[in-house]
Amino acid sequence: MRPFYGTELPNGLMLGTAQYPSPAILQAAFRESGAAVATVSLRREGTGGAGQAFWQMIRDLGVHILPNTAGCHTVKEAVTTAHMAREVFGTPWIKLELIGHTDSLQPDVFQLVEAAKILSEEDFRVFPYTTDDLIVGERLLKAGCEVLMPWGAPIGSGLGLANPYALRSMRAEFPDTPLVVDAGIGLPSHAAAAMEMGFDAVLLNTAVAKAGDPVAMAKAMARAVEAGALAHAADPMEPRDMAEPSTPVIGKAFLS
């Protein structure tokens, strides 16, 4: 696994903290998943007692915190939210979300590049939620990002990897850049497929939080991520059109 802004993570699972049935289930899901990173929206952190209690619970998880700019639609809104998040959470890491399309929650890649450049110049470590477009990825890297987070499918859809070709192309185009499949993961098989492609991590939330048993699903996702990473490292066989016998024919007896 490639380091994220110089930080080595123990595994490739990044898990969101929204939509869980209860704080206790959230904590149990994180324990079972062993997730290395928790994503947190600034909107979950209020100034009152409930907000402070939530933040203390997240700190007690003992994982890396990745605040996000969820719900932002303009550069100014995203940059302002990032500054507030850095002050509240005490980290330069920021997941930069800048939504351009209401129904699909597709990122506005034009504003995304602009905001990424501003934040990178202000010493943020930007994790941009982007599309799987190679040109946009190149522009984000030139803007100062050292990580790319292409979507697998629309946020919360559970559709999995909607465009495997584009994701494989992105992995090939940026071989030294940490890549994270962010959004769209619905099943452990989706997470395993992303890791088998050579992605460094997957980021998911709804698939665990909205499962009938979030704790069990968190455990399943953890094992899928591990299996996918091990499979990629093992250099799997290439698919072929024709059959190939697994039992050698040399030495086979021929009967007339």
Side-chain angles (χ1 to χ4, degrees), residues 234-251:
D235 190 16
M237 64 176 285
E238 293 292 332
R240 48 183 291 141
D241 293 328
M242 300 298 291
E244 180 179 4
S246 56
T247 302
V249 296
I250 299 175

Side-chain angles (χ1 to χ4, degrees), residues 28-73:
F30 265 85
R31 284 196 300 270
E32 282 297 327
S33 73
V37 174
T39 60
V40 185
S41 171
L42 184 65
R43 287 165 171 76
R44 293 294 304 276
E45 177 63 26
T47 56
Q52 292 299 321
F54 175 78
W55 177 217
Q56 183 59 52
M57 179 183 66
I58 298 302
R59 273 198 295 252
D60 290 343
L61 294 175
V63 300
H64 292 277
I65 305 299
L66 178 60
N68 65 51
T69 62
C72 292
H73 291 80

Side-chain angles (χ1 to χ4, degrees), residues 76-92:
K76 181 178 181 180
E77 186 181 10
V79 170
T80 299
T81 301
H83 277 278
M84 294 171 64
R86 181 162 63 179
E87 181 176 344
V88 170
F89 298 111
T91 175

